[in-house]
Amino acid sequence: MQRQKLPELICPAGSLPALKAAVDNGADAVYLGYKNDTNARNFAGLNFDEKTLGEGVRYAQSRGRHVLMAINTFPQPGREADWQRAVDGAAALGVDAVILADVGLLDYASRRHPDLRLHLSVQGSATSYEAVNFAQREFGVRRAVLPRVLTLAQVEHVIRNTTVEIEVFGFGSLCVMNEGRCWLSSYATGESPNTVGACSPAKYVKWEKSPGQMTTRLNGVLIDRFGDDEPAGYPTLCKGRFEVNGETYYALEEPTSLNVLEILPEIARIGVAAIKVEGRQRSPAYVTQVTRTLRAALDALARESERYHVKPAWQAELAKVSEGNQATLGAYNRPWR
Amino acid sequence: MRQAFSIPRFQLPAFVSAIGTRLPQWPHALALTAALNAAARMKLLPQDSLATLEGRSFLVEVLDTGGTACFTYRAGFFRPLFGAPATPDLAFRANLSAFLQLLTRQEDPDTLFFNRELSIEGDTELGLVVKNMLDAIEWPKLPGLPRPHH
Ligand code: SF4
Protein backbone atom coordinates (compact mmCIF):
# COMPACT_ATOMS: atom_id res chain seq x y z
CA MET A 1 0.00 0.00 0.00
CA GLN A 2 1.19 3.45 -0.80
CA ARG A 3 2.07 5.43 2.26
CA GLN A 4 -0.52 8.12 2.72
CA LYS A 5 0.20 11.65 3.77
CA LEU A 6 -0.82 12.49 7.29
CA PRO A 7 -3.24 15.41 7.60
CA GLU A 8 -1.77 18.50 9.25
CA LEU A 9 -3.04 19.40 12.70
CA ILE A 10 -4.35 22.99 12.89
CA CYS A 11 -4.96 24.30 16.41
CA PRO A 12 -6.67 27.40 17.82
CA ALA A 13 -4.84 30.24 19.56
CA GLY A 14 -6.86 32.92 21.33
CA SER A 15 -3.83 34.17 23.27
CA LEU A 16 -0.06 33.91 23.30
CA PRO A 17 -0.01 31.19 25.99
CA ALA A 18 -2.54 29.19 23.93
CA LEU A 19 -0.36 29.56 20.83
CA LYS A 20 2.68 28.31 22.71
CA ALA A 21 0.64 25.44 24.14
CA ALA A 22 -0.41 24.41 20.62
CA VAL A 23 3.15 24.58 19.27
CA ASP A 24 4.65 22.80 22.28
CA ASN A 25 2.12 19.98 22.06
CA GLY A 26 2.52 19.17 18.41
CA ALA A 27 0.31 21.40 16.25
CA ASP A 28 1.58 21.73 12.66
CA ALA A 29 -0.07 25.15 12.43
CA VAL A 30 -1.98 27.56 14.63
CA TYR A 31 -4.73 29.91 13.59
CA LEU A 32 -5.40 33.22 15.24
CA GLY A 33 -6.96 36.63 14.74
CA TYR A 34 -6.69 40.33 15.56
CA LYS A 35 -8.39 41.86 18.57
CA ASN A 36 -11.26 43.25 16.48
CA ASP A 37 -14.28 42.32 14.38
CA THR A 38 -12.26 41.14 11.38
CA ASN A 39 -12.43 37.60 12.73
CA ALA A 40 -15.22 35.34 13.93
CA ARG A 41 -14.06 35.06 17.54
CA ASN A 42 -14.18 38.72 18.45
CA PHE A 43 -14.62 38.24 22.20
CA ALA A 44 -13.67 40.74 24.88
CA GLY A 45 -10.07 40.27 25.97
CA LEU A 46 -9.34 37.55 23.42
CA ASN A 47 -6.94 37.50 20.46
CA PHE A 48 -3.79 39.32 19.44
CA ASP A 49 -2.43 42.85 19.17
CA GLU A 50 0.65 43.81 17.14
CA LYS A 51 3.07 42.98 19.92
CA THR A 52 1.70 39.55 20.84
CA LEU A 53 1.24 38.75 17.15
CA GLY A 54 4.88 39.41 16.36
CA GLU A 55 5.99 37.28 19.26
CA GLY A 56 3.53 34.50 18.38
CA VAL A 57 4.60 34.36 14.74
CA ARG A 58 8.25 34.20 15.78
CA TYR A 59 7.59 31.49 18.34
CA ALA A 60 5.77 29.24 15.87
CA GLN A 61 7.85 29.83 12.77
CA SER A 62 11.19 29.45 14.53
CA ARG A 63 9.98 25.98 15.49
CA GLY A 64 8.97 25.12 11.96
CA ARG A 65 5.22 25.56 12.45
CA HIS A 66 2.84 27.68 10.43
CA VAL A 67 0.69 30.62 11.46
CA LEU A 68 -2.66 31.13 9.75
CA MET A 69 -4.46 34.41 10.30
CA ALA A 70 -8.25 34.32 10.25
CA ILE A 71 -9.81 37.45 8.73
CA ASN A 72 -13.02 35.62 8.17
CA THR A 73 -15.90 37.99 8.86
CA PHE A 74 -17.63 40.02 6.20
CA PRO A 75 -16.53 43.65 5.73
CA GLN A 76 -19.31 45.94 6.89
CA PRO A 77 -20.52 48.68 4.53
CA GLY A 78 -18.32 51.77 4.64
CA ARG A 79 -15.61 50.02 6.67
CA GLU A 80 -14.05 47.85 3.96
CA ALA A 81 -10.68 49.50 4.63
CA ASP A 82 -10.50 47.96 8.13
CA TRP A 83 -10.57 44.48 6.62
CA GLN A 84 -8.08 45.39 3.91
CA ARG A 85 -5.75 46.79 6.55
CA ALA A 86 -5.98 43.50 8.42
CA VAL A 87 -4.88 41.64 5.28
CA ASP A 88 -2.03 44.10 4.69
CA GLY A 89 -0.94 43.70 8.32
CA ALA A 90 -0.94 39.92 8.07
CA ALA A 91 1.11 40.04 4.87
CA ALA A 92 3.62 42.46 6.43
CA LEU A 93 3.95 40.20 9.43
CA GLY A 94 4.84 37.24 7.26
CA VAL A 95 2.07 34.86 8.31
CA ASP A 96 1.96 31.64 6.29
CA ALA A 97 -1.61 32.15 5.07
CA VAL A 98 -4.72 34.21 5.63
CA ILE A 99 -8.12 32.58 6.05
CA LEU A 100 -10.74 34.67 4.27
CA ALA A 101 -14.47 34.31 3.60
CA ASP A 102 -15.57 37.41 1.69
CA VAL A 103 -15.08 37.35 -2.09
CA GLY A 104 -14.34 41.08 -2.18
CA LEU A 105 -11.57 40.63 0.33
CA LEU A 106 -10.25 37.53 -1.48
CA ASP A 107 -10.09 39.62 -4.62
CA TYR A 108 -8.27 42.44 -2.79
CA ALA A 109 -5.77 40.05 -1.21
CA SER A 110 -5.01 38.20 -4.43
CA ARG A 111 -4.34 41.44 -6.32
CA ARG A 112 -2.53 43.34 -3.60
CA HIS A 113 -0.47 40.46 -2.20
CA PRO A 114 -0.02 37.92 -5.00
CA ASP A 115 2.45 35.91 -2.91
CA LEU A 116 0.21 35.65 0.12
CA ARG A 117 -1.26 32.18 0.50
CA LEU A 118 -5.06 32.26 0.66
CA HIS A 119 -7.31 29.81 2.47
CA LEU A 120 -11.08 29.87 2.03
CA SER A 121 -12.70 30.09 5.47
CA VAL A 122 -15.46 27.80 6.60
CA GLN A 123 -17.53 31.00 6.76
CA GLY A 124 -17.14 31.19 2.99
CA SER A 125 -19.47 28.20 2.91
CA ALA A 126 -18.05 26.32 -0.06
CA THR A 127 -19.66 22.88 0.11
CA SER A 128 -19.14 21.72 -3.49
CA TYR A 129 -16.06 21.29 -5.66
CA GLU A 130 -17.51 23.85 -8.06
CA ALA A 131 -17.43 26.48 -5.33
CA VAL A 132 -13.92 25.47 -4.29
CA ASN A 133 -12.65 25.52 -7.86
CA PHE A 134 -14.27 28.90 -8.42
CA ALA A 135 -12.26 30.31 -5.51
CA GLN A 136 -9.13 28.76 -6.98
CA ARG A 137 -9.74 30.10 -10.47
CA GLU A 138 -10.70 33.61 -9.41
CA PHE A 139 -8.42 34.23 -6.44
CA GLY A 140 -5.81 31.48 -6.46
CA VAL A 141 -7.10 29.95 -3.23
CA ARG A 142 -4.80 27.13 -2.13
CA ARG A 143 -6.88 25.53 0.57
CA ALA A 144 -10.56 25.42 1.50
CA VAL A 145 -12.04 24.63 4.90
CA LEU A 146 -15.20 22.62 4.39
CA PRO A 147 -18.29 23.34 6.48
CA ARG A 148 -19.34 20.80 9.07
CA VAL A 149 -22.39 19.76 7.08
CA LEU A 150 -20.92 17.22 4.65
CA THR A 151 -20.79 13.46 4.95
CA LEU A 152 -17.42 11.80 4.56
CA ALA A 153 -18.44 10.56 1.11
CA GLN A 154 -19.26 14.13 0.11
CA VAL A 155 -15.91 15.35 1.40
CA GLU A 156 -14.22 12.66 -0.69
CA HIS A 157 -16.22 13.72 -3.73
CA VAL A 158 -14.96 17.29 -3.36
CA ILE A 159 -11.35 16.11 -2.93
CA ARG A 160 -11.51 13.97 -6.07
CA ASN A 161 -12.62 16.91 -8.14
CA THR A 162 -10.25 19.64 -7.11
CA THR A 163 -6.54 20.33 -6.72
CA VAL A 164 -7.24 22.73 -3.86
CA GLU A 165 -6.17 21.32 -0.49
CA ILE A 166 -9.11 20.41 1.70
CA GLU A 167 -9.26 21.06 5.44
CA VAL A 168 -12.02 19.69 7.68
CA PHE A 169 -12.98 20.10 11.30
CA GLY A 170 -11.69 17.39 13.59
CA PHE A 171 -12.70 18.45 17.06
CA GLY A 172 -14.70 21.08 18.91
CA SER A 173 -18.07 22.57 19.67
CA LEU A 174 -20.48 22.24 16.81
CA CYS A 175 -21.83 25.21 14.95
CA VAL A 176 -23.43 23.50 12.01
CA MET A 177 -26.40 25.60 11.09
CA ASN A 178 -25.85 26.75 7.57
CA GLU A 179 -22.18 27.34 8.10
CA GLY A 180 -21.42 30.94 7.30
CA ARG A 181 -25.03 31.86 6.88
CA CYS A 182 -26.50 31.51 10.35
CA TRP A 183 -28.57 34.48 11.50
CA LEU A 184 -30.01 32.99 14.69
CA SER A 185 -27.87 35.27 16.82
CA SER A 186 -29.01 38.31 14.84
CA TYR A 187 -32.61 37.25 15.35
CA ALA A 188 -32.21 37.57 19.10
CA THR A 189 -29.62 40.34 19.39
CA GLY A 190 -29.17 42.05 16.04
CA GLU A 191 -25.55 40.85 16.01
CA SER A 192 -24.10 37.67 14.55
CA PRO A 193 -20.74 36.11 13.67
CA ASN A 194 -20.68 37.53 10.17
CA THR A 195 -21.41 41.08 11.24
CA VAL A 196 -19.64 41.67 14.56
CA GLY A 197 -17.47 38.57 14.73
CA ALA A 198 -19.28 36.88 17.60
CA CYS A 199 -22.26 34.61 17.97
CA SER A 200 -24.46 35.57 20.92
CA PRO A 201 -22.18 38.38 22.21
CA ALA A 202 -21.61 38.21 25.95
CA LYS A 203 -23.28 41.54 26.66
CA TYR A 204 -26.63 39.95 25.77
CA VAL A 205 -26.12 36.83 27.84
CA LYS A 206 -27.56 36.46 31.33
CA TRP A 207 -26.97 33.43 33.54
CA GLU A 208 -29.54 33.60 36.31
CA LYS A 209 -29.05 31.41 39.28
CA SER A 210 -31.92 30.40 41.52
CA PRO A 211 -32.14 27.58 44.04
CA GLY A 212 -31.81 24.29 42.17
CA GLN A 213 -31.46 25.73 38.70
CA MET A 214 -29.73 28.07 36.33
CA THR A 215 -31.50 29.95 33.56
CA THR A 216 -29.81 31.26 30.43
CA ARG A 217 -31.20 34.19 28.51
CA LEU A 218 -29.97 35.81 25.33
CA ASN A 219 -31.25 39.38 25.12
CA GLY A 220 -34.23 38.27 27.19
CA VAL A 221 -34.98 35.20 25.07
CA LEU A 222 -35.05 32.10 27.26
CA ILE A 223 -32.45 29.67 25.89
CA ASP A 224 -32.30 26.93 28.49
CA ARG A 225 -32.74 25.91 32.11
CA PHE A 226 -30.31 23.55 33.81
CA GLY A 227 -30.75 21.63 37.03
CA ASP A 228 -27.79 21.85 39.43
CA ASP A 229 -26.22 18.64 38.19
CA GLU A 230 -26.99 19.06 34.49
CA PRO A 231 -24.11 20.05 32.22
CA ALA A 232 -24.38 23.54 30.72
CA GLY A 233 -23.67 24.60 27.14
CA TYR A 234 -22.89 27.78 25.24
CA PRO A 235 -25.71 30.33 25.33
CA THR A 236 -26.52 30.16 21.62
CA LEU A 237 -30.00 29.83 20.16
CA CYS A 238 -29.03 26.72 18.20
CA LYS A 239 -28.29 24.88 21.44
CA GLY A 240 -31.37 25.98 23.39
CA ARG A 241 -34.24 23.85 24.55
CA PHE A 242 -37.53 25.00 23.12
CA GLU A 243 -41.13 23.99 23.30
CA VAL A 244 -42.26 22.58 19.98
CA ASN A 245 -45.71 21.04 19.65
CA GLY A 246 -46.03 20.70 23.39
CA GLU A 247 -42.64 19.05 23.90
CA THR A 248 -39.55 20.77 25.28
CA TYR A 249 -36.24 19.57 23.84
CA TYR A 250 -33.13 20.58 21.91
CA ALA A 251 -35.14 21.49 18.86
CA LEU A 252 -32.16 22.53 16.72
CA GLU A 253 -29.13 20.77 18.08
CA GLU A 254 -27.85 19.05 21.21
CA PRO A 255 -24.85 20.62 22.90
CA THR A 256 -22.18 18.21 21.72
CA SER A 257 -18.67 18.27 20.42
CA LEU A 258 -17.46 16.94 17.13
CA ASN A 259 -14.79 14.26 17.50
CA VAL A 260 -13.32 12.42 14.50
CA LEU A 261 -10.83 10.10 16.25
CA GLU A 262 -12.81 7.07 15.17
CA ILE A 263 -12.72 7.94 11.48
CA LEU A 264 -9.20 9.35 11.38
CA PRO A 265 -7.93 6.56 9.06
CA GLU A 266 -10.77 7.30 6.63
CA ILE A 267 -10.02 11.02 6.73
CA ALA A 268 -6.39 10.38 5.90
CA ARG A 269 -7.26 7.82 3.21
CA ILE A 270 -9.51 10.16 1.23
CA GLY A 271 -6.73 12.74 1.16
CA VAL A 272 -7.79 15.44 3.61
CA ALA A 273 -4.88 17.89 3.85
CA ALA A 274 -5.54 19.18 7.33
CA ILE A 275 -7.81 18.81 10.32
CA LYS A 276 -8.79 21.76 12.38
CA VAL A 277 -9.55 22.07 16.06
CA GLU A 278 -12.27 24.54 17.05
CA GLY A 279 -11.93 26.78 20.09
CA ARG A 280 -10.05 30.04 19.92
CA GLN A 281 -12.29 31.15 22.80
CA ARG A 282 -10.94 28.37 25.01
CA SER A 283 -8.01 28.52 27.40
CA PRO A 284 -4.41 27.28 27.04
CA ALA A 285 -5.42 24.24 29.15
CA TYR A 286 -7.94 23.15 26.52
CA VAL A 287 -5.49 23.74 23.68
CA THR A 288 -2.89 21.65 25.48
CA GLN A 289 -5.28 18.77 26.13
CA VAL A 290 -6.79 18.63 22.66
CA THR A 291 -3.57 19.21 20.71
CA ARG A 292 -1.71 16.57 22.70
CA THR A 293 -4.47 14.03 22.17
CA LEU A 294 -4.91 14.57 18.43
CA ARG A 295 -1.14 14.59 17.94
CA ALA A 296 -0.92 11.22 19.68
CA ALA A 297 -3.72 9.86 17.50
CA LEU A 298 -2.19 11.13 14.25
CA ASP A 299 1.22 9.77 15.20
CA ALA A 300 -0.35 6.42 16.04
CA LEU A 301 -2.04 6.42 12.65
CA ALA A 302 1.28 7.13 10.93
CA ARG A 303 2.94 4.28 12.84
CA GLU A 304 0.23 1.67 12.83
CA SER A 305 -1.93 2.47 9.77
CA GLU A 306 -4.35 -0.49 9.55
CA ARG A 307 -3.84 -1.46 13.16
CA TYR A 308 -4.80 2.03 14.34
CA HIS A 309 -7.38 1.97 17.06
CA VAL A 310 -8.76 4.68 19.28
CA LYS A 311 -7.33 4.58 22.79
CA PRO A 312 -9.85 4.99 25.61
CA ALA A 313 -7.51 7.50 27.26
CA TRP A 314 -7.77 9.80 24.21
CA GLN A 315 -11.54 9.66 24.26
CA ALA A 316 -11.62 10.34 27.99
CA GLU A 317 -9.36 13.37 27.63
CA LEU A 318 -11.46 14.81 24.81
CA ALA A 319 -14.79 14.00 26.47
CA LYS A 320 -13.73 15.98 29.51
CA VAL A 321 -13.28 19.22 27.61
CA SER A 322 -16.33 18.74 25.38
CA GLU A 323 -19.33 20.97 25.51
CA GLY A 324 -22.26 18.86 26.69
CA ASN A 325 -19.80 16.09 27.49
CA GLN A 326 -20.80 14.03 24.51
CA ALA A 327 -19.04 13.51 21.25
CA THR A 328 -20.44 12.94 17.81
CA LEU A 329 -19.18 12.30 14.32
CA GLY A 330 -21.46 15.13 13.24
CA ALA A 331 -22.49 15.04 9.61
CA TYR A 332 -19.55 12.84 8.58
CA ASN A 333 -21.49 9.62 9.11
CA ARG A 334 -25.03 10.86 8.60
CA PRO A 335 -27.11 8.59 6.40
CA TRP A 336 -28.99 11.54 4.92
CA ARG A 337 -27.65 14.57 3.13
CA MET B 1 3.33 11.14 33.00
CA ARG B 2 1.29 14.06 31.80
CA GLN B 3 2.35 16.69 34.23
CA ALA B 4 4.97 17.13 36.86
CA PHE B 5 2.13 17.41 39.34
CA SER B 6 -1.58 17.24 39.02
CA ILE B 7 -4.33 18.52 41.21
CA PRO B 8 -7.06 15.98 41.82
CA ARG B 9 -10.70 16.89 42.00
CA PHE B 10 -11.60 17.02 45.66
CA GLN B 11 -14.07 18.62 47.99
CA LEU B 12 -13.30 19.63 51.52
CA PRO B 13 -15.72 18.40 54.20
CA ALA B 14 -18.60 20.71 55.04
CA PHE B 15 -17.31 21.56 58.52
CA VAL B 16 -14.33 23.33 56.99
CA SER B 17 -16.60 25.84 55.30
CA ALA B 18 -18.62 26.17 58.50
CA ILE B 19 -15.45 27.30 60.27
CA GLY B 20 -14.24 29.29 57.28
CA THR B 21 -17.30 31.48 57.05
CA ARG B 22 -16.84 32.52 60.67
CA LEU B 23 -13.33 33.81 60.15
CA PRO B 24 -12.79 37.41 59.07
CA GLN B 25 -12.90 37.58 55.27
CA TRP B 26 -10.80 40.63 54.48
CA PRO B 27 -7.39 38.86 54.65
CA HIS B 28 -8.40 36.86 51.56
CA ALA B 29 -9.23 40.04 49.69
CA LEU B 30 -5.99 41.62 50.83
CA ALA B 31 -3.90 38.68 49.62
CA LEU B 32 -5.76 38.46 46.32
CA THR B 33 -5.55 42.16 45.52
CA ALA B 34 -1.86 42.21 46.43
CA ALA B 35 -1.25 39.37 43.99
CA LEU B 36 -3.28 41.06 41.25
CA ASN B 37 -1.47 44.37 41.77
CA ALA B 38 1.85 42.57 41.53
CA ALA B 39 0.74 40.99 38.26
CA ALA B 40 -0.40 44.38 36.94
CA ARG B 41 2.92 45.95 37.94
CA MET B 42 4.80 43.26 36.08
CA LYS B 43 2.71 44.16 33.03
CA LEU B 44 1.26 40.65 32.94
CA LEU B 45 -2.26 42.05 32.61
CA PRO B 46 -3.13 43.75 29.32
CA GLN B 47 -3.96 47.47 29.64
CA ASP B 48 -7.07 47.39 27.48
CA SER B 49 -8.62 44.64 29.58
CA LEU B 50 -7.71 46.41 32.83
CA ALA B 51 -9.46 49.55 31.64
CA THR B 52 -12.76 47.67 31.37
CA LEU B 53 -12.52 46.61 35.03
CA GLU B 54 -12.52 50.23 36.28
CA GLY B 55 -14.96 50.73 39.14
CA ARG B 56 -16.48 47.25 38.94
CA SER B 57 -16.91 45.03 41.99
CA PHE B 58 -15.82 41.41 42.13
CA LEU B 59 -16.51 38.55 44.46
CA VAL B 60 -14.49 35.33 44.59
CA GLU B 61 -15.95 32.65 46.80
CA VAL B 62 -14.27 29.37 47.63
CA LEU B 63 -17.25 27.23 48.47
CA ASP B 64 -15.67 24.41 50.44
CA THR B 65 -13.39 26.60 52.55
CA GLY B 66 -16.07 29.22 53.12
CA GLY B 67 -13.62 31.95 52.10
CA THR B 68 -14.78 35.00 50.17
CA ALA B 69 -12.89 37.94 48.77
CA CYS B 70 -14.45 41.15 47.51
CA PHE B 71 -12.48 43.72 45.63
CA THR B 72 -12.64 46.40 43.00
CA TYR B 73 -10.27 47.98 40.50
CA ARG B 74 -9.92 51.74 40.68
CA ALA B 75 -7.36 54.20 39.33
CA GLY B 76 -4.80 51.59 38.42
CA PHE B 77 -5.06 49.40 41.52
CA PHE B 78 -7.01 46.43 42.77
CA ARG B 79 -8.45 47.34 46.17
CA PRO B 80 -10.17 45.15 48.75
CA LEU B 81 -13.78 45.95 49.56
CA PHE B 82 -14.46 45.53 53.23
CA GLY B 83 -18.21 45.32 53.02
CA ALA B 84 -19.45 42.80 50.47
CA PRO B 85 -21.68 44.49 47.88
CA ALA B 86 -25.20 43.03 47.77
CA THR B 87 -24.82 42.29 44.07
CA PRO B 88 -21.23 42.36 42.87
CA ASP B 89 -20.78 43.04 39.16
CA LEU B 90 -19.16 39.66 38.84
CA ALA B 91 -19.04 36.64 41.14
CA PHE B 92 -16.92 33.51 40.73
CA ARG B 93 -17.79 30.53 42.92
CA ALA B 94 -16.12 27.14 42.98
CA ASN B 95 -14.52 24.62 45.28
CA LEU B 96 -10.85 25.02 46.12
CA SER B 97 -9.78 22.20 43.80
CA ALA B 98 -11.45 23.85 40.80
CA PHE B 99 -9.79 27.21 41.53
CA LEU B 100 -6.41 25.54 41.87
CA GLN B 101 -6.91 23.63 38.61
CA LEU B 102 -7.84 26.90 36.93
CA LEU B 103 -4.85 28.82 38.22
CA THR B 104 -2.36 26.12 37.28
CA ARG B 105 -3.94 25.87 33.81
CA GLN B 106 -4.73 22.25 34.42
CA GLU B 107 -8.37 22.76 33.49
CA ASP B 108 -10.10 25.08 31.10
CA PRO B 109 -12.64 27.48 32.64
CA ASP B 110 -15.23 26.56 29.99
CA THR B 111 -14.82 22.89 30.89
CA LEU B 112 -15.37 23.66 34.56
CA PHE B 113 -18.31 25.86 33.68
CA PHE B 114 -19.95 23.24 31.41
CA ASN B 115 -19.47 20.67 34.16
CA ARG B 116 -21.00 23.08 36.65
CA GLU B 117 -17.89 23.10 38.84
CA LEU B 118 -17.40 26.82 38.34
CA SER B 119 -20.23 29.30 38.66
CA ILE B 120 -19.97 32.73 37.10
CA GLU B 121 -22.72 35.21 37.86
CA GLY B 122 -23.30 38.81 37.02
CA ASP B 123 -22.10 40.76 34.00
CA THR B 124 -21.30 38.06 31.44
CA GLU B 125 -19.14 40.29 29.28
CA LEU B 126 -17.07 41.34 32.27
CA GLY B 127 -16.70 37.64 33.09
CA LEU B 128 -15.35 36.99 29.63
CA VAL B 129 -12.86 39.85 29.92
CA VAL B 130 -11.57 38.48 33.22
CA LYS B 131 -11.41 34.92 31.93
CA ASN B 132 -9.54 35.91 28.79
CA MET B 133 -7.25 38.18 30.78
CA LEU B 134 -6.24 35.29 33.04
CA ASP B 135 -5.75 33.05 30.00
CA ALA B 136 -3.50 35.58 28.32
CA ILE B 137 -1.11 35.98 31.26
CA GLU B 138 2.34 34.80 30.39
CA TRP B 139 3.58 33.51 33.71
CA PRO B 140 7.26 34.18 34.01
CA LYS B 141 9.14 30.92 33.87
CA LEU B 142 10.66 30.51 37.30
CA PRO B 143 13.96 28.73 37.14
CA GLY B 144 14.13 25.63 39.28
CA LEU B 145 10.42 24.90 39.21
CA PRO B 146 9.38 21.82 37.27
CA ARG B 147 7.66 22.92 34.08
CA PRO B 148 4.25 21.29 33.71
CA HIS B 149 5.29 19.16 30.81
CA HIS B 150 4.99 15.55 29.76
S1 SF4 C 1 -26.43 30.19 16.59
FE1 SF4 C 1 -25.32 28.26 16.64
S2 SF4 C 1 -25.14 27.62 14.52
FE2 SF4 C 1 -25.65 29.80 14.53
S3 SF4 C 1 -23.67 30.86 14.42
FE3 SF4 C 1 -24.25 30.66 16.57
S4 SF4 C 1 -23.24 28.77 17.27
FE4 SF4 C 1 -23.28 28.74 15.03
Side-chain angles (χ1 to χ4, degrees):
Chain A
M1 199 187 96
Q2 189 201 337
R3 209 182 146 69
Q4 64 209 7
K5 246 190 109 212
L6 211 57
E8 277 176 32
L9 179 58
I10 318 286
C11 295
S15 66
L16 200 49
L19 179 147
K20 293 183 176 177
V23 169
D24 293 348
N25 286 283
D28 295 301
V30 293
Y31 66 104
L32 42 69
Y34 280 113
K35 265 185 193 287
N36 59 33
D37 57 359
T38 61
N39 76 89
R41 288 284 186 280
N42 177 29
F43 296 159
L46 199 69
N47 295 322
F48 290 76
D49 55 24
E50 290 297 334
K51 184 174 153 275
T52 46
L53 254 182
E55 193 177 337
V57 169
R58 266 196 308 280
Y59 191 87
Q61 290 180 343
S62 65
R63 286 163 180 77
R65 319 304 169 79
H66 291 155
V67 176
L68 318 178
M69 164 97 73
I71 308 176
N72 58 350
T73 48
F74 291 82
Q76 296 302 295
R79 289 184 45 217
E80 294 83 356
D82 291 350
W83 273 259
Q84 295 174 346
R85 253 199 306 280
V87 171
D88 297 342
L93 220 101
V95 300
D96 298 279
V98 288
I99 311 173
L100 309 180
D102 180 69
V103 287
L105 202 60
L106 280 160
D107 182 58
Y108 171 83
S110 66
R111 285 171 203 275
R112 190 59 172 269
H113 306 283
D115 294 332
L116 184 59
R117 192 180 148 98
L118 304 182
H119 289 187
L120 184 62
S121 165
V122 64
Q123 300 297 118
S125 203
T127 48
S128 65
Y129 67 82
E130 289 93 339
V132 172
N133 288 338
F134 169 82
Q136 182 184 39
R137 189 178 68 235
E138 298 300 320
F139 316 116
V141 160
R142 307 274 288 279
R143 179 183 292 178
V145 188
L146 295 189
R148 287 158 277 196
V149 295
L150 300 181
T151 64
L152 210 55
Q154 288 173 315
V155 174
E156 184 173 12
H157 187 61
V158 174
I159 294 174
R160 282 182 193 278
N161 290 286
T162 184
T163 55
V164 175
E165 295 174 4
I166 295 300
E167 178 173 318
V168 301
F169 276 86
F171 183 80
S173 281
L174 276 175
C175 159
V176 291
M177 296 283 297
N178 264 340
E179 203 71 49
R181 284 172 289 199
C182 179
W183 294 99
L184 281 172
S185 177
S186 277
Y187 172 77
T189 69
E191 299 182 9
S192 76
N194 288 339
T195 55
V196 303
C199 176
S200 316
K203 59 175 182 268
Y204 299 108
V205 176
K206 268 266 167 263
W207 307 97
E208 292 160 6
K209 207 133 185 226
S210 51
Q213 72 173 14
M214 185 166 71
T215 303
T216 320
R217 286 180 193 277
L218 181 61
N219 207 14
V221 179
L222 179 63
I223 302 270
D224 208 347
R225 273 202 184 109
F226 311 97
D228 273 346
D229 43 12
E230 266 186 292
Y234 282 120
T236 60
L237 271 178
C238 64
K239 299 204 175 121
R241 275 185 282 199
F242 303 103
E243 196 184 311
V244 183
N245 296 333
E247 261 188 83
T248 305
Y249 65 109
Y250 294 105
L252 298 165
E253 195 192 349
E254 303 231 352
T256 52
S257 280
L258 175 72
N259 174 352
V260 299
L261 280 187
E262 247 175 70
I263 55 168
L264 213 50
E266 281 297 284
I267 287 184
R269 184 189 57 78
I270 64 175
V272 168
I275 58 177
K276 171 170 243 161
V277 173
E278 182 272 351
R280 279 193 288 136
Q281 73 283 13
R282 304 284 296 257
S283 72
Y286 164 94
V287 175
T288 301
Q289 289 162 345
V290 178
T291 307
R292 182 169 59 202
T293 307
L294 289 180
R295 183 76 268 158
L298 283 164
D299 289 350
L301 179 62
R303 260 193 332 266
E304 302 161 5
S305 58
E306 282 99 78
R307 284 177 295 113
Y308 167 90
H309 65 279
V310 178
K311 295 221 171 78
W314 300 340
Q315 294 293 39
E317 178 107 342
L318 293 184
K320 197 178 60 179
V321 300
S322 292
E323 186 189 9
N325 267 327
Q326 28 175 327
T328 130
L329 287 169
Y332 292 130
N333 70 340
R334 234 170 237 163
W336 47 271
R337 295 167 186 190
Chain B
M1 197 162 121
R2 304 178 23 207
Q3 286 184 312
F5 60 93
S6 112
I7 296 158
R9 194 176 154 193
F10 61 81
Q11 184 172 355
L12 297 173
F15 71 82
V16 178
S17 93
I19 300 171
T21 45
R22 274 185 236 133
L23 298 172
Q25 298 300 318
W26 56 266
H28 302 302
L30 221 55
L32 194 58
T33 51
L36 286 168
N37 285 327
R41 251 198 326 276
M42 289 164 77
K43 302 228 179 324
L44 293 176
L45 308 176
Q47 266 315 316
D48 56 338
S49 296
L50 280 177
T52 58
L53 307 186
E54 183 70 32
R56 314 299 297 272
S57 59
F58 303 89
L59 170 89
V60 176
E61 184 173 355
V62 184
L63 295 169
D64 56 353
T65 66
T68 56
C70 289
F71 60 94
T72 184
Y73 180 77
R74 209 159 5 88
F77 288 99
F78 290 94
R79 301 157 195 264
L81 288 173
F82 294 99
T87 46
D89 291 315
L90 189 64
F92 288 98
R93 291 188 179 87
N95 286 335
L96 183 62
S97 76
F99 276 124
L100 290 177
Q101 289 176 334
L102 251 186
L103 287 176
T104 54
R105 296 234 165 106
Q106 192 176 315
E107 289 301 347
D108 170 84
D110 291 23
T111 302
L112 295 169
F113 184 79
F114 290 151
N115 298 341
R116 309 299 299 279
E117 288 176 53
L118 170 69
S119 126
I120 306 174
E121 274 176 87
D123 182 329
T124 315
E125 187 164 47
L126 190 61
L128 206 59
V129 172
V130 171
K131 180 191 96 136
N132 289 331
M133 189 165 91
L134 293 177
D135 278 350
I137 295 180
E138 282 244 81
W139 297 113
K141 294 200 180 71
L142 303 174
L145 276 185
R147 287 250 288 135
H149 227 67
H150 20 273

